Each structure stands twice: as C-alpha cells, then as structure tokens.
Amino acid sequence: LKTNPLGLKIPFGVHHTKMFLMGYEDRSHKISGKHYIRVVVHTANLLPGDTNFKVQGVYAQDFPLKGANAAPLFTNPYKRNRSDE
C-alpha cells in the first residue's frame, strides 16, 4: 500500500495547513460580553523546532457570533432557501 504517489524525497516535508477554531467571550463590555469565534489557519506543527527554526505562515481573524434574532453579517449567495427545496 503506497499512500504518497509523489514519492517525496526531501527530509523536511512540505507546508500543509492546520486550523484552530476557538470560541471566547470578550468581557470588556460592562453589560454583557460579546461572543466571538477565532479562526486561525497556520502551517506550523506545534513543535519547538518548527515554530522556532522554520519559516511558517499564519492567518487569524475574529468573527462575532450571531444572536438568535440578529441580522446576518453578510448574505451567502449560495445558500438555498427553504422555498428552493
């Protein structure tokens, strides 16, 4: 059984992405904290040798969570309506 048909012959491997999804509450608001999800996409393995001695890439962005009655932050043109089903 061969799992890599490319036959990679370098000792360092290749960049491939990993992703974290982390939810948190911003408690700096006096009335009620806002809830967010943080999306982090990165190339580093979580090893000291990878993070300290190799070139890595990272992208991070926070997105506020929608409330039950909140208007959507954007419109998804590909989302199907119930009437389409």
Side-chain angles (χ1 to χ4, degrees):
L1 178 66
K2 191 171 186 176
T3 58
N4 185 359
L6 301 177
L8 190 63
K9 304 251 189 256
I10 59 174
F12 303 110
V14 295
H15 282 287
H16 58 282
T17 57
K18 293 90 174 164
M19 182 173 76
F20 290 133
L21 295 174
M22 300 172 282
Y24 70 95
E25 180 181 6
D26 180 2
R27 296 185 183 188
S28 64
H29 297 84
K30 296 184 187 217
I31 299 172
S32 173
K34 289 187 174 183
H35 291 84
Y36 294 87
I37 188 162
R38 178 169 290 167
V39 177
V40 181
V41 179
H42 60 96
T43 59
N45 292 313
L46 299 179
L47 301 169
D50 270 16
T51 56
N52 294 335
F53 303 112
K54 295 180 182 176
V55 175
Q56 303 294 346
V58 65
Y59 168 83
Q61 184 170 347
D62 295 335
F63 296 93
L65 294 180
K66 293 192 314 184
N69 298 321
L73 297 175
F74 64 92
T75 303
N76 181 351
Y78 302 104
K79 184 176 180 181
R80 293 178 54 155
N81 296 326
R82 287 191 179 266
S83 62
D84 293 340
E85 295 176 353

